[in-house]
C-alpha cells in the first residue's frame, strides 16, 4: 500500500510515445523499443523536454505528498496498537 515513486521525465515521455514507436518499428522487441526511445529522447532539445520535466516535477510532488500521508497513517496505526 506504499505509494509508487514519481516517474522521470523520460519515463513519462516514453509511456506516452511507446505506441507510436512500436508503430514505427513493429518488429522491435521491448528492449529495442527502449533503446529507440532513448535515442529519440537524447535528440530532443531542452524546449521539447520542458513539458515532460514539468510533469515529472508534479509527479514528484504527488509522490512526496502521498509518502507523507502514508507515513502519518503508519504512525497513527502504530500509536493505536500500543
Amino acid at each position: 500500500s506504499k505509494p509508487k515513486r514519481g516517474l522521470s521525465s523520460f519515463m513519462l515521455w516514453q509511456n506516452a510515445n511507446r505506441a507510436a514507436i512500436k508503430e514505427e518499428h513493429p518488429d522491435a522487441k521491448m528492449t529495442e523499443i527502449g533503446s529507440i526511445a532513448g535515442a529519440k529522447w537524447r535528440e530532443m532539445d531542452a524546449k521539447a523536454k520542458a513539458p515532460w520535466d514539468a510533469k515529472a516535477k508534479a509527479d514528484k510532488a504527488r509522490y512526496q505528498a502521498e509518502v507523507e500521508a502514508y507515513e502519518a497513517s503508519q504512525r497513527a496505526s502504530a500509536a493505536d496498537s500500543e
Side-chain angles (χ1 to χ4, degrees):
S1 66
K2 202 171 187 182
K4 289 192 176 194
R5 285 194 170 276
L7 295 175
S8 68
S9 52
F10 168 70
M11 289 304 296
L12 290 167
W13 175 85
Q14 183 179 358
N15 289 343
N17 291 282
R18 182 176 286 124
I21 294 169
K22 181 71 175 161
E23 225 175 86
E24 290 174 16
H25 306 276
D27 297 329
K29 297 177 184 173
M30 287 302 289
T31 54
E32 294 169 335
I33 290 172
S35 296
I36 294 165
K40 287 180 178 253
W41 178 257
R42 285 187 294 277
E43 292 172 3
M44 292 171 61
D45 62 7
K47 186 177 180 181
K49 290 180 182 179
W52 300 102
D53 291 337
K55 289 179 184 183
K57 188 176 181 180
D59 199 31
K60 183 178 180 179
R62 177 222 29 104
Y63 171 70
Q64 289 173 335
E66 288 180 6
V67 165
E68 288 174 13
Y70 173 78
E71 289 174 349
S73 70
Q74 293 296 311
R75 285 191 297 272
S77 295
D80 289 344
S81 65
E82 288 179 3

